[in-house]
């Protein structure tokens, strides 16, 4: 092949040559040399081998970690611990256009509280949707503790689709956790407050008027959205409801929420009272709430709920009368309540106790059935005696917090915050199997799919609170430390430290990568935040600008390497909306869009339509451009917004002088012919193979055909101009033909490489 010019040459090199030099240099060193030079032990090497994912290969599991105060979700691969994405949830995220385009602003707006924007979140617990208690890879949910909200993320495109605000809480912690068929997503209050919260209530009225609760958000799987109207809550005492979990298998229909500060202590060092910490841990026990949520849902359907702030709330009185709410004592300041994969046991840790308590669902149900209670709490909720609910208690160490399960029967892992250890133990026999020190104070931990009915074992990630001296120092604020641990053998083995520089990730969930099937493009003209056709979408050739009064609406398109329209002319004071549809079909052909100084940005993936809106409040010249390096001519993907002053009169400007000659034109034509030869050879390769068996290649071929289709008009124009000896226009239109060719060749080469790498077969004519 002989083309050509710089761009195509670069494409061809990238497509396959130029690797030979690297591989020979690699072979000259021995493994021993590297170990010596880098001071690595055999064990280090083993750990590296267990985590290294070679170039081009993928991870076995995908982790969704809470991004803590960043209000985002971090997606990374296991075992490589490579970060793949930050999903924007409660906080604006410029790359994805989140909070900078109109579609995502509408999602963030759903999260307003009392009419105020809240542009951050304290995310704690992500949850993957389940079918029959097993992960189905369809949706992800995450809570915001600070401003009681819950978000829905669709795993078809990893985008946040909905934010709901809790109508009766002022904080929430025990969410998100899903019921075995994702009928409901649970959210439990943390810090009690008056439910209606319409008026001031003094702390002295805490016991009487402050309340906790749990909310069951109804999830409409078909719509992929929370059904706010059919959601409900249970009013609970002003204990600090903490974490929750849903029953499954035999315990399906029930949910469990632990609590602390059942002392109902309200602090007040200002009034010379002992501080919160002292008052909130004075008693030896707190309460686990045991709730029959299926029956609660029926009560709501029967109209037995009260409306508070327009939301269904089952009051304590009703819950007690109908027998859907019970309490079980749990050791001092508990944390975490984790239902075993078979649904038979609930494990609660005592932060200030060295034990974990394993409760038996059967025993609790037997006590409920026999109405065997040791008494009632101050609100009249029946209390089941600890001994009538406990299967066993196991001494694990200091500061147990959270528990996860292995694929091996009866094996659980519990984080020990104070000891900075992970304890592996048998919850059926009640014995410790192994302990591993980690760095440093561990909060949550996660085993692969370890909170579903189908745990996979293999790895455990310790989500550590403090990194202290583990990484290169970056100032007083340190990253968080996620440590990867091999749990496939009898002894746990520490494999890898990953610094996470994005808020304090409390909890993380992980899923077998095979269960995720995200799309690579949208149906033409989709609003990705509503999953519906975007009213601003147009097809190629339909682009237009519409003015109504002082409102200007642009209906444009994006395709390598062109923004249509190329100029937008408005008058100062106009309200401008720019809708852009990405016409590409090829995988990963995203275009970005911004207009200088108007604080707008959109990330427009293939098929998506996004819009940005602003007031053109100052006359002047504002370049707009594509922000994503999308092709060799990405920098040329540009245009101008021209904001004209009031009363501006068009002035005649002399046309630019011709600079191109007949010679230039002839050179262009030669270049076109040479390039066409390359395109023909690539097309020959593709069509002589079974490319139709590869949907990704079919998309690329469609894109290339698009580009070549656009060539015809430019070709006619350069030929006509040449006939008229207008060498200026002839040369420029010929250049445009070549531009289309280059783009088609770029796409064609990508298709060819794909076919070669995926073992496409030759087909007979
Ligand atoms: Cu233990 Cu919010 Cu789940 Cu933090 S919580 S660790
Ligand atoms: Cu499109 Cu850069």
């Amino acid at each position: 092949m002989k083309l050509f010019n710089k761009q195509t040459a670069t494409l061809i090199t990238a497509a396959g040559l130029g690797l030979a030099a690297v591989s020979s240099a690699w072979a000259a060193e021995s493994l021993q040399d590297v170990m010596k030079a880098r001071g690595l032990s055999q064990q280090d090497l083993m750990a590296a081998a267990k985590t290294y994912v070679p170039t081009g290969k993928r991870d076995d599991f995908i982790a969704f970690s809470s991004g803590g105060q960043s209000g985002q979700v971090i997606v990374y691969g296991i075992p490589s611990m490579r970060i793949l994405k930050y999903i924007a949830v409660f906080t604006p995220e410029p790359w994805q256009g989140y909070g900078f385009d109109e579609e995502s602003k509408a999602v963030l707006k759903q999260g307003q509280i009392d009419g105020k924007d809240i542009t951050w979140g304290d995310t704690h617990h992500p949850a993957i949707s389940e079918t029959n208690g097993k992960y189905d890879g369809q949706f992800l949910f995450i809570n915001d503790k600070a401003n009681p909200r819950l978000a829905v993320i669709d795993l078809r495109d990893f985008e946040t689709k909905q934010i709901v605000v809790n109508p009766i809480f002022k904080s929430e912690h025990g969410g998100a956790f899903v019921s075995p068929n994702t009928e409901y997503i649970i959210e439990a209050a943390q810090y009690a407050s008056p439910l209606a919260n319409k008026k001031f209530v003094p702390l002295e009225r805490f016991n009487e008027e402050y309340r906790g609760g749990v909310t069951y958000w109804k999830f409409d799987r078909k719509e992929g959205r929370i059904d706010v109207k059919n959601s409900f809550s249970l009013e609970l005492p002003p204990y600090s409801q903490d974490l929750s979990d849903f029953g499954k298998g035999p315990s399906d229909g029930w949910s469990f929420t632990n609590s602390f500060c059942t002392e109902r202590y309200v602090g007040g060092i200002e009034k010379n009272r002992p501080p919160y910490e002292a008052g909130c841990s004075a008693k030896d026990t707190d309460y686990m709430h045991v709730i029959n949520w299926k029956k609660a849902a029926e009560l709501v359907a029967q109209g037995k709920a009260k409306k508070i702030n327009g939301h269904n709330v089952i009051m304590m009185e009703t819950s007690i009368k109908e027998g859907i709410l019970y309490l079980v004592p749990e050791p001092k300041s508990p944390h975490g309540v984790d239902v075993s994969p078979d649904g038979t046991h609930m494990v609660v840790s005592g932060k200030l106790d060295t034990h974990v308590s394993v409760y038996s669902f059967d025993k609790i149900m037997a006590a409920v059935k026999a109405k065997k209670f040791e008494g009632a709490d101050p609100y009249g909720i029946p209390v089941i005696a600890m001994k009538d609910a406990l299967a066993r208690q196991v001494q694990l160490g200091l500061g147990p917090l959270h528990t996860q399960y292995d694929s091996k029967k009866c094996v659980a892992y519990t984080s020990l915050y104070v000891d900075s250890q992970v304890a592996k133990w048998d919850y059926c026999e009640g014995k410790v199997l192994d302990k591993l020190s980690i760095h440093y104070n561990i909060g949550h931990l996660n085993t692969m799919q370890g909170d579903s009915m189908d745990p996979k074992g293999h790895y455990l990630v310790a989500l550590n609170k403090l990194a202290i001296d583990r990484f290169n120092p970056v100032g007083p604020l340190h990253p968080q430390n996620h440590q990867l641990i091999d749990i496939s053998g009898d002894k746990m083995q520490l494999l890898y430290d990953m610094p996470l520089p994005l808020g304090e990730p409390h909890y993380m969930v992980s899923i077998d990568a095979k269960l995720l099937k995200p799309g690579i493009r949208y149906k033409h003209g989709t609003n990705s935040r509503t999953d519906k056709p975007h009213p601003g979408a147009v097809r190629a050739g339909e682009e237009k600008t519409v003015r109504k009064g002082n409102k200007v609406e642009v209906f444009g398109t994006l395709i390598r390497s062109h923004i249509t329209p190329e100029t937008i002319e408005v008058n100062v004071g106009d309200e401008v909306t720019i809708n852009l549809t990405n016409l590409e079909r090829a995988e990963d052909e995203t275009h970005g869009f911004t207009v200088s100084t108007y604080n707008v940005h959109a990330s427009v993936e293939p098929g998506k339509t996004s819009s940005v809106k602003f007031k053109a409040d100052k006359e002047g010249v504002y370049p707009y451009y594509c922000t994503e390096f999308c092709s060799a001519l990405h920098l040329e993907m540009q245009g101008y917004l021209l904001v004209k002053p009031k009363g501006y009169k068009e002035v005649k400007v002399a046309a630019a002088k011709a600079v191109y000659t007949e010679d230039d034109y002839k050179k262009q034509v030669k270049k076109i012919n040479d390039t066409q030869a390359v395109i023909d050879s690539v097309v020959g390769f593709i069509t002589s193979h079974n490319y139709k068996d590869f949907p990704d290649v079919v998309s690329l071929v469609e894109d290339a055909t698009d580009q070549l289709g656009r060539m015809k008009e430019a070709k006619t124009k350069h030929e006509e101009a040449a006939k008229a000896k207008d060498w200026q226009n002839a040369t420029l239109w010929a250049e445009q033909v070549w531009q289309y060719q280059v783009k088609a060749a770029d796409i064609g080469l990508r298709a060819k490489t794909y076919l070669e790498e995926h073992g496409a077969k030759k087909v007979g004519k």
Side-chain angles (χ1 to χ4, degrees):
M1 291 199 283
K2 51 179 166 113
L3 237 207
F4 348 73
N5 87 348
K6 224 168 51 199
Q7 283 143 359
T8 326
T10 314
L11 293 170
I12 290 166
T13 317
L17 310 172
L19 292 169
V22 181
S23 3
S24 58
W26 173 249
E29 261 178 327
S30 77
L31 201 50
Q32 271 71 27
D33 291 340
V34 177
M35 281 174 74
K36 211 172 138 208
R38 301 203 61 222
L40 301 176
S41 67
Q42 285 284 349
Q43 208 187 347
D44 292 334
L45 231 59
M46 182 61 94
K50 283 182 176 182
T51 54
Y52 181 63
V53 174
T55 173
K57 295 272 179 351
R58 295 179 182 181
D59 280 296
D60 299 328
F61 294 95
I62 300 297
F64 295 95
S65 172
S66 136
Q69 298 92 326
S70 79
Q72 302 179 359
V73 167
I74 306 156
V75 185
Y76 63 82
I78 292 174
S80 78
M81 310 300 269
R82 296 180 299 193
I83 294 178
L84 302 170
K85 191 171 228 175
Y86 296 141
I87 305 174
V89 186
F90 296 109
T91 310
E93 198 288 319
W95 181 39
Q96 295 159 37
Y98 196 71
F100 302 91
D101 68 29
E102 289 303 302
E103 295 67 34
S104 59
K105 276 187 192 166
V107 176
L108 280 169
K109 200 171 167 206
Q110 297 167 16
Q112 285 185 340
I113 298 182
D114 299 330
K116 279 201 303 272
D117 283 331
I118 296 174
T119 52
W120 82 290
D122 185 13
T123 57
H124 275 236
H125 307 112
I128 296 170
S129 59
E130 296 178 6
T131 300
N132 297 321
K134 296 182 180 174
Y135 287 167
D136 53 36
Q138 293 179 5
F139 296 95
L140 184 79
F141 309 96
I142 192 156
N143 72 320
D144 170 8
K145 171 175 168 169
N147 322 287
R149 301 181 294 177
L150 192 85
V152 179
I153 296 157
D154 193 325
L155 293 177
R156 285 176 307 178
D157 59 0
F158 287 51
E159 282 200 354
T160 303
K161 306 286 177 170
Q162 185 186 24
I163 296 174
V164 291
V165 177
N166 194 295
I168 55 171
F169 299 158
K170 284 289 135 194
S171 60
E172 72 101 321
H173 187 240
F177 300 92
V178 301
S179 59
N181 281 300
T182 322
E183 301 97 329
Y184 290 94
I185 305 135
I186 202 170
E187 197 179 57
Q190 181 109 82
Y191 306 116
S193 55
L195 294 186
N197 210 42
K198 290 272 155 70
K199 58 175 178 40
F200 165 76
V201 180
L203 272 174
E204 286 70 22
R205 303 279 304 154
F206 189 85
N207 294 355
E208 297 77 21
E209 293 194 50
Y210 285 51
R211 288 293 176 264
V214 280
T215 298
Y216 298 84
W217 288 109
K218 176 91 185 114
F219 187 60
D220 182 337
R221 196 187 280 261
K222 232 181 84 217
E223 291 293 316
R225 300 292 184 275
I226 284 167
D227 173 357
V228 172
K229 260 184 47 210
N230 287 306
S231 303
F232 66 92
S233 295
L234 256 70
E235 176 204 32
L236 294 178
Y239 309 148
S240 297
Q241 279 81 30
D242 195 34
L243 281 145
S244 308
D245 203 0
F246 272 100
K248 42 198 159 197
S251 53
D252 185 18
W254 293 77
S255 70
F256 313 93
T257 300
N258 73 315
S259 65
F260 59 90
C261 206
T262 53
E263 294 86 353
R264 297 176 293 166
Y265 191 68
V266 294
I269 48 170
E270 299 74 11
K271 293 181 180 168
N272 257 332
R273 286 156 52 93
Y276 265 114
E277 320 73 298
C280 275
S281 55
K283 279 202 322 180
D284 279 342
T285 55
D286 288 292
Y287 291 124
M288 174 166 77
H289 305 69
V290 178
I291 297 167
N292 185 338
W293 64 263
K294 276 206 176 147
K295 198 159 170 209
E298 286 164 22
L299 296 179
V300 174
Q302 291 160 18
K304 292 190 177 157
K306 186 176 154 185
K307 289 270 183 200
I308 300 179
N309 297 341
H311 173 73
N312 297 309
V313 183
I314 303 178
M315 305 309 281
M316 283 193 280
E317 207 190 327
T318 311
S319 298
I320 295 164
K321 202 171 86 200
E322 300 283 347
I324 61 165
L325 171 63
Y326 303 92
L327 298 173
V328 182
E330 13 173 53
K332 215 176 173 76
S333 295
H335 195 50
V337 47
D338 297 288
V339 176
S340 62
D342 63 3
T344 56
H345 291 86
M346 291 83 69
V347 174
V348 173
S349 299
K351 278 186 310 229
L352 299 181
D353 192 85
T354 54
H355 293 89
V356 283
S357 303
V358 184
Y359 293 91
S360 154
F361 181 72
D362 280 352
K363 284 181 90 173
I364 292 175
M365 284 304 109
V368 166
K369 219 164 151 209
K371 294 196 163 41
K372 190 172 176 221
F373 306 120
E374 69 175 10
D377 83 336
Y379 300 90
I381 305 170
V383 178
I384 298 166
M386 207 194 250
K387 65 171 184 358
D388 293 333
L390 262 188
R392 61 193 61 84
Q393 282 187 314
V394 188
Q395 186 158 11
L396 294 184
L398 292 177
L401 293 186
H402 297 286
T403 298
Q404 288 273 300
Y405 298 94
D406 202 333
S407 52
K408 295 167 200 143
K409 208 172 172 326
C410 297
V411 175
Y413 300 85
T414 297
S415 51
L416 303 175
Y417 179 83
V418 180
D419 277 343
S420 289
Q421 284 187 319
V422 172
K424 174 181 180 179
W425 57 290
D426 182 318
Y427 63 90
C428 304
E429 302 277 319
K431 59 173 193 245
V432 177
L433 303 171
D434 187 25
K435 278 193 185 184
L436 180 74
S437 291
I438 47 88
H439 317 85
Y440 292 93
N441 304 60
I442 177 174
H444 276 272
L445 72 182
N446 177 267
T447 55
M448 303 302 97
Q449 304 195 159
D451 68 357
S452 74
M453 290 184 85
D454 186 24
K456 292 288 184 205
H458 291 286
Y459 305 105
L460 179 148
V461 176
L463 285 75
N464 306 332
K465 301 292 179 198
L466 306 172
I468 308 180
D469 54 1
R470 298 301 281 185
F471 305 111
N472 299 64
V474 288
L477 179 64
H478 294 231
Q480 302 276 319
N481 185 8
H482 283 199
Q483 286 186 304
L484 183 71
I485 294 161
D486 180 357
I487 54 165
S488 56
D490 289 339
K491 287 260 163 221
M492 293 180 277
Q493 187 198 352
L494 180 59
L495 298 178
Y496 192 77
D497 279 25
M498 175 176 66
L500 259 192
L502 201 78
E504 184 200 329
H506 288 258
Y507 186 38
M508 178 275 260
V509 286
S510 53
I511 183 171
D512 186 337
K514 289 193 289 296
L515 292 174
L516 294 171
K517 298 195 172 60
I520 59 172
R521 72 183 73 82
Y522 295 97
K523 209 172 140 202
H524 172 92
T526 302
N527 174 343
S528 67
R529 301 292 168 178
T530 61
D531 305 322
K532 303 222 161 72
H534 194 297
V538 287
R539 295 195 176 270
E542 295 173 349
E543 297 90 347
K544 61 183 175 188
T545 299
V546 179
R547 170 181 286 280
K548 270 188 209 141
N550 65 345
K551 289 195 167 81
V552 177
E553 188 162 9
V554 176
F555 299 83
T557 58
L558 303 165
I559 190 162
R560 272 163 290 177
S561 330
H562 198 83
I563 301 173
T564 308
E566 290 191 346
T567 42
I568 301 172
E569 293 186 47
V570 302
N571 302 321
V572 73
D574 283 347
E575 184 195 290
V576 183
T577 305
I578 304 172
N579 302 287
L580 291 165
T581 303
N582 183 342
L583 300 175
E584 313 273 357
R585 275 152 288 206
E587 183 166 10
D588 202 15
E589 266 311 326
T590 293
H591 299 288
F593 180 79
T594 188
V595 184
S596 170
T597 71
Y598 279 101
N599 198 35
V600 291
H601 184 243
S603 173
V604 197
E605 290 79 46
K608 195 195 241 188
T609 301
S610 298
S611 58
V612 297
K613 192 172 167 182
F614 55 90
K615 195 170 170 191
D617 50 7
K618 196 165 168 285
E619 71 164 89
V621 172
Y622 304 90
Y624 54 81
Y625 68 96
C626 169
T627 61
E628 193 78 28
F629 209 109
C630 53
S631 62
L633 289 166
H634 148 77
L635 293 172
E636 289 78 352
M637 205 166 165
Q638 59 170 342
Y640 280 104
L641 168 75
L642 303 165
V643 183
K644 296 185 272 190
K646 275 215 167 68
Y648 179 74
K649 293 246 165 44
E650 299 287 335
V651 284
K652 263 247 185 284
V653 184
K657 248 178 91 189
V659 290
Y660 298 114
T661 63
E662 183 174 3
D663 251 15
D664 292 320
Y665 177 65
K666 283 190 175 148
K667 267 189 230 150
Q668 289 286 38
V669 172
K670 166 127 183 12
K671 192 167 73 174
I672 291 172
N673 292 338
D674 288 347
T675 308
Q676 195 56 45
V678 176
I679 292 176
D680 292 345
S681 94
V682 172
V683 169
F685 179 91
I686 294 169
T687 51
S688 66
H689 287 75
N690 58 334
Y691 79 95
K692 288 190 177 151
D693 296 341
F694 300 90
D696 290 339
V697 173
V698 171
S699 298
L700 288 165
V701 169
E702 282 172 356
D703 278 2
T705 312
D706 251 19
Q707 294 285 353
L708 292 173
R710 288 159 173 250
M711 205 169 79
K712 279 188 202 113
E713 200 189 327
K715 186 166 184 274
T716 313
K717 286 190 170 155
H718 83 70
E719 285 169 355
E720 276 173 3
K723 235 187 260 165
K725 297 200 188 313
D726 172 0
W727 304 120
Q728 178 74 6
N729 278 312
T731 307
L732 288 174
W733 281 113
E735 174 68 18
Q736 183 57 35
V737 167
W738 189 74
Q739 291 297 343
Y740 288 132
Q741 283 182 315
V742 168
K743 285 180 264 182
D746 175 357
I747 303 167
L749 283 168
R750 212 169 119 185
K752 181 171 177 262
T753 309
Y754 187 102
L755 291 175
E756 286 165 349
E757 283 175 356
H758 291 78
K761 288 190 194 65
K762 268 212 171 248
V763 289
K765 287 259 155 94

